[in-house]
């Protein structure tokens, strides 16, 4: 209860304090000098009341990871940062239309919010981080998002957005992280992504309905280290210019691109320019905070969350579950520091590049469910870092190259290649492959039909002869006369031969 008597505090941090009850109404009468309030990571429940405040500056509110529910009420119109993630809020985002344009951080992820995005989002001219992931938002992505010229990270994953990507997003030239995964977006991958968003280091569009060919402009994203276009309807060949992803060639970034700084407190005397720059301020200073990117990546067959250091070091391409065809371009082997390459469930054919050993940092490789043929290149055994490999269900042949890693993988990762042999497969090289059960059954059916037909033919022939003897007197006469002559001929032959033998022995 002591806090009820305190009216001059600027910072309030009771995060992770084990509070598990609702908050009394008097708590929300915030002091005018408040700059930062953090009550996150508790088990606070109930509905929020309308929070009216006469605070002098644009403050930061962090209510994340609690059990708040219901619609988001009226909030202080002066906010620099707002974090409502990890609750059970429902309703729409219309409450944002009453907030001033100085909001630089907004995270409402992992709630039950729904409806379409309001156009008033476009007025948040200094917004740097926008995280709307894991909700129930629907409708098209509004073109007003293109007015967020200072935006650096945009998370829209796991919602129900539809339609094509708005061209206006090409205005957001400062954006570095873009995650639209697991929605119902459609159309082609726009060329402007490579032309305008050259600062992207993460581009995630997995599990949507994008179709058509992959534009070569994607290769202009020199900073790209995570590309996930899996589970779409993309087709055509993989561009040869994939070797241009220079961020997958060098070991690490010069700067930490996973880290985004934003203003968590802005005094009212500070003037903010249209691009988020501070034009002027008096004695009171602003305060900075940081947001760290996180990404869901299919890593060694399962989805994993990567943050900070893990994300900074991760270099991954995932084009799985599309309709890509043609030969895998050898230029992809120049991505020396790529850690994961997943091209499974496509229609790629031809040889696995012989120089694949140049991918020295590769830890996960999945080429399963394609049409690759010829031998597995022996250089694959030289990648000592490889800890996950799936080449199943292709047309590969010959001996599996000898190498510690290649023989240690489960034989199911090589299955579906009938002409492949050697450990860990049970099929030894030089031994004809075991006939599949399906072929044995087909052979059994053939011989059954053959013997059945032969027996039926014999029966028909035998009955035909017997029927002729019964019905025709002439046939019976000729048959028995012929049998009588044959009997006499046999008798004469036997008597003559026995006579010769008898005379021979008497001598």
């Amino acid at each position: 209860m002591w806090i009820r008597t305190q009216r001059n505090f600027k910072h309030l941090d009771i995060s992770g304090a084990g509070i598990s009850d609702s908050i009394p109404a008097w708590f929300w009468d915030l002091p005018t000098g408040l700059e930062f309030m953090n009550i996150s990571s508790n088990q606070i429940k109930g509905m929020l009341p309308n929070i009216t405040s006469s605070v002098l500056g644009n403050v930061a509110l962090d209510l994340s990871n609690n059990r708040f529910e219901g619609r988001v009420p009226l909030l202080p119109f002066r906010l620099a940062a707002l974090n409502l993630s990890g609750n059970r809020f429902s309703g729409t985002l219309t409450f944002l239309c009453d907030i001033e344009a100085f909001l630089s951080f907004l995270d409402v992820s992992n709630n039950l919010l729904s409806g379409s995005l309001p156009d008033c989002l476009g007025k948040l001219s200094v917004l740097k981080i926008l995280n709307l992931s894991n909700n129930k938002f629907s409708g098209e992505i509004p073109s007003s998002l293109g007015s967020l010229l200072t935006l650096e990270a945009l998370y829209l994953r796991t919602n129900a957005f539809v339609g094509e990507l708005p061209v206006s997003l090409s205005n957001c030239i400062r954006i570095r992280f873009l995650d639209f995964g697991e929605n119902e977006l459609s159309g082609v991958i726009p060329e402007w992504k490579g032309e305008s968003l050259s600062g992207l280091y993460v581009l995630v569009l997995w599990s949507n309905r994008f179709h058509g060919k992959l534009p070569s402009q994607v290769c202009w994203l020199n900073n790209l280290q995570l590309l996930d276009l899996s589970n779409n309807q993309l087709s055509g060949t993989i561009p040869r210019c994939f070797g241009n992803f220079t961020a997958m060639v060098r070991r690490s970034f010069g700067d930490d691109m996973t880290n985004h700084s934003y203003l968590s407190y802005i005094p009212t005397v500070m003037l903010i320019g249209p691009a988020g720059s501070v034009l002027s301020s008096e004695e009171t200073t602003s305060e900075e905070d940081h947001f760290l990117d996180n990404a869901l990546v299919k890593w060694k067959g399962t989805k994993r969350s990567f943050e900070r250091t893990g994300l900074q070091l991760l270099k991954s391409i995932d084009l799985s579950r599309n309709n890509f065809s043609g030969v895998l371009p050898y230029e992809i082997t120049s991505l020396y520091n790529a850690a994961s390459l997943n091209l499974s469930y496509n229609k790629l054919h031809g040889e696995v590049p012989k120089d694949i050993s140049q991918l020295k940092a590769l830890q996960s490789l999945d080429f399963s469910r394609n049409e690759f043929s010829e031998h597995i290149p022996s250089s694959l055994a030289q990648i000592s870092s490889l800890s996950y490999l799936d080449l199943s269900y292709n047309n590969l042949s010959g001996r599996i190259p000898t190498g510690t890693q290649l023989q240690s993988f489960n034989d199911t990762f090589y299955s579906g290649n009938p002409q492949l042999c050697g450990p860990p497969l049970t099929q030894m090289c030089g031994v004809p492959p075991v006939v599949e059960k399906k072929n044995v059954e087909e052979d059994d059916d053939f011989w059954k039909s053959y013997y059945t037909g032969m027996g039926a033919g014999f029966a028909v022939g035998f009955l035909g002869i017997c029927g002729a003897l019964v019905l025709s007197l002439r046939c019976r006469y000729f048959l028995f006369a012929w049998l009588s002559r044959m009997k006499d001929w046999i008798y004469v032959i036997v008597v003559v031969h026995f006579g010769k033998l008898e005379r021979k022995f008497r001598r």
Side-chain angles (χ1 to χ4, degrees), residues 4 235-236 242 288 310 346 368 426 438:
R4 187 172 188 177
S235 58
F242 261 39
E288 232 180 37
N346 280 287
S368 62
T426 56
K438 179 181 178 182

Side-chain angles (χ1 to χ4, degrees), residues 173-187:
I173 58 175
R174 295 189 181 184
I175 201 162
R176 305 202 304 256
F177 189 105
L178 194 61
D179 188 349
F180 290 169
E182 204 171 10
N183 280 282
E184 299 176 21
L185 298 168
S186 58

Side-chain angles (χ1 to χ4, degrees), residues 51-73:
I51 305 174
T52 57
S53 173
S54 56
V55 291
L56 298 177
N58 294 274
V59 303
L61 292 182
D62 190 346
L63 313 181
S64 62
N65 298 314
N66 280 288
R67 298 168 61 187
F68 290 115
E69 59 186 6
R71 299 178 67 88
V72 180

Side-chain angles (χ1 to χ4, degrees), residues 416-438:
N417 296 282
Q419 302 302 317
L420 206 58
C421 62
L425 295 176
T426 56
Q427 173 63 32
M428 294 294 102
C429 297
V431 179
V434 178
V435 179
E436 296 182 1
K437 185 177 180 181
K438 179 181 178 182

